[in-house]
Amino acid sequence: MNITIFTDAWDPQINGVVTTLKTTVEHLKKRGYDVVVVHPGLYKLTVPLQPSTGIFMPILPMGIADEEVKNADYIHIATEGAIGLAARYSCKKYKKSYTTSFHTKYPEYVKIHTGISPRVSGKYFRWFHRNSSSVMVTTPSMVDYCAELGIKNLKVWSRGVDTTLYRPDYEVKNKPIRAIRAVYCGRISAEKNIEAFLSIKDTLIRKTLIGDGPQLEEYKLKYPKAKFLGKMNKYQIANELRKHDVFAWPSLTDTFGLVVLEGMACGLPVAAFDNEVNRYIIEDGVSGFLTKNNLELAIEQAANLSSEDAVERAKKFSWEAATDQFLENLIV
């Protein structure tokens, strides 16, 4: 059986969408599926959208996806960019059914960066997903969010974590240290609400950030006491996470936060803001501490929680179960 996935997010990008798609492809192939991925690296003519994070958008004629669409048994359109549009066009042209996924609260990102209301930008996403037989989202709360945008046929497609790679080092954690070692991992960008973490003045909290993004140089200058490590591969990230005590997650717009699972799997209780997405992942007071408006307090409280409980919570999310959901949503 052939499954063709169309995505604007792929190597060399490092983010949760790419990790999710690549891991899902690996698991599908292990189960015997023939998987084709159509991604920006297949096309020479591209324009940079966010060069600091390696995100490029190909310039494509609408018929570019015709052959892949005609030859596919099942089609999943993972993103709403140029490749997604080309795939959608060809599916309509050849009357092929397809599924889509809604990974990111782009209407919220557009508002942060441009001031345009989600009610306006949401019209595009409602149109894009209109004919999808299943629109896959990360959590039940994202079902509600997308439903408010007018998107229909919503199904949950959860996430997992590789606990053989992301695992704790209890010897490092047991070393005596006065300050709390808090770490953030993800894009260094305004929509991640990182300044809620960086602006903490408590001298007993050491702040480390892993990742690249459009605000990296700006934040380096503005917050010289924080340690910025830049872009890392997954092996470097896993090794670095183990050196810390708390995973700081200030984001208010993420639809899941795959890195949260990775932090917990490395034995880091999470300090995050209290919302439906974070409540779905984190057991408040057990594997992390959720706060309404005080991330500093959340970091201090999370530092007192058990690393073992964080690891056990991460183990509840497996890629095997997530792949089962993907297939159930795909084959309708």
Side-chain angles (χ1 to χ4, degrees):
M1 185 183 297
N2 173 279
I3 299 172
T4 300
I5 298 173
F6 294 88
T7 176
D8 296 278
W10 201 251
D11 290 335
Q13 300 173 40
I14 300 175
N15 55 50
V17 176
V18 175
T19 299
T20 296
L21 293 174
K22 291 181 72 174
T23 307
T24 301
V25 168
E26 289 175 8
H27 280 266
L28 289 171
K29 287 181 175 179
K30 286 179 182 177
R31 298 185 187 199
Y33 290 94
D34 179 17
V35 186
V36 174
V37 180
V38 181
H39 57 83
L42 300 175
Y43 306 98
K44 292 183 179 180
L45 188 57
T46 61
V47 294
L49 291 184
Q50 293 166 325
S52 61
T53 53
I55 298 177
F56 295 84
M57 182 73 73
I59 302 172
L60 302 173
M62 283 296 97
I64 198 75
D66 282 1
E67 289 304 311
E68 287 85 355
V69 164
K70 284 193 293 184
N71 295 329
D73 296 318
Y74 293 95
I75 298 165
H76 181 69
I77 304 174
T79 54
E80 301 96 342
I83 290 176
L85 282 169
R88 188 185 186 280
Y89 170 86
S90 296
C91 285
K92 183 176 181 181
K93 179 179 177 180
Y94 293 103
K95 297 184 168 123
K96 300 271 287 200
S97 62
Y98 59 91
T99 59
T100 57
S101 48
F102 190 101
H103 294 276
T104 306
K105 288 183 177 179
Y106 277 119
E108 309 300 325
Y109 287 18
V110 170
K111 181 180 179 181
I112 290 169
H113 290 287
T114 69
I116 298 172
S117 168
R119 292 181 63 183
V120 176
S121 60
K123 292 179 181 179
Y124 169 74
F125 298 95
R126 183 163 59 249
W127 168 82
F128 185 92
H129 295 283
R130 183 173 59 194
N131 296 321
S132 173
S133 58
S134 292
V135 183
M136 305 188 202
V137 297
T138 51
T139 66
S141 66
M142 281 304 299
V143 171
D144 297 336
Y145 175 84
C146 288
E148 288 181 8
L149 289 176
I151 298 172
K152 300 178 180 179
N153 301 323
L154 296 156
K155 302 285 183 65
V156 173
W157 173 27
S158 190
R159 301 293 184 263
V161 62
D162 180 358
T163 54
T164 60
L165 174 60
Y166 296 96
R167 62 186 188 279
D169 184 340
Y170 292 115
E171 289 185 10
V172 170
K173 293 188 183 305
N174 289 332
K175 290 181 180 178
I177 189 167
R178 293 181 181 179
I180 299 171
R181 298 164 294 188
V183 60
Y184 162 87
C185 182
R187 274 171 34 84
I188 310 299
S189 187
E191 76 273 359
K192 296 293 188 178
N193 195 35
I194 301 172
E195 288 198 272
F197 176 46
L198 289 169
S199 62
I200 293 173
K201 299 187 183 301
D202 193 331
T203 56
L204 294 179
I205 297 176
R206 294 183 183 176
K207 291 167 282 191
T208 299
L209 296 92
I210 303 169
D212 197 357
Q215 267 74 52
L216 178 60
E217 296 305 319
E218 174 190 342
Y219 289 164
K220 277 184 177 181
L221 291 173
K222 191 174 180 180
Y223 301 100
K225 291 186 178 180
K227 187 177 181 181
F228 293 87
L229 300 180
K231 182 187 288 189
M232 290 182 163
N233 62 40
K234 63 182 180 180
Y235 304 103
Q236 293 170 320
I237 291 171
N239 186 56
E240 183 62 33
L241 289 176
R242 297 184 193 108
K243 301 174 185 177
H244 294 80
D245 305 305
V246 172
F247 189 88
W249 186 240
S251 177
L252 299 171
T253 57
D254 274 76
T255 62
F256 193 90
L258 186 58
V259 288
V260 172
L261 289 183
E262 294 167 356
M264 288 195 296
C266 288
L268 279 62
V270 183
F273 289 106
D274 188 7
N275 60 38
E276 291 183 346
V277 172
N278 289 335
R279 284 197 294 273
Y280 180 78
I281 305 171
I282 304 158
E283 294 173 293
D284 188 22
V286 181
S287 56
F289 191 89
L290 302 178
T291 179
K292 292 294 183 184
N293 53 22
N294 191 335
L295 191 62
E296 179 181 333
L297 174 63
I299 291 172
E300 292 171 351
Q301 294 294 327
N304 295 319
L305 298 176
S306 164
S307 292
E308 289 86 351
D309 286 340
V311 172
E312 287 305 309
R313 180 58 179 170
K315 288 179 179 178
K316 301 291 184 183
F317 295 86
S318 74
W319 283 116
E320 288 78 10
T323 303
D324 287 341
Q325 286 180 316
F326 178 80
L327 286 169
E328 288 169 7
N329 298 336
L330 184 74
I331 304 172
V332 293

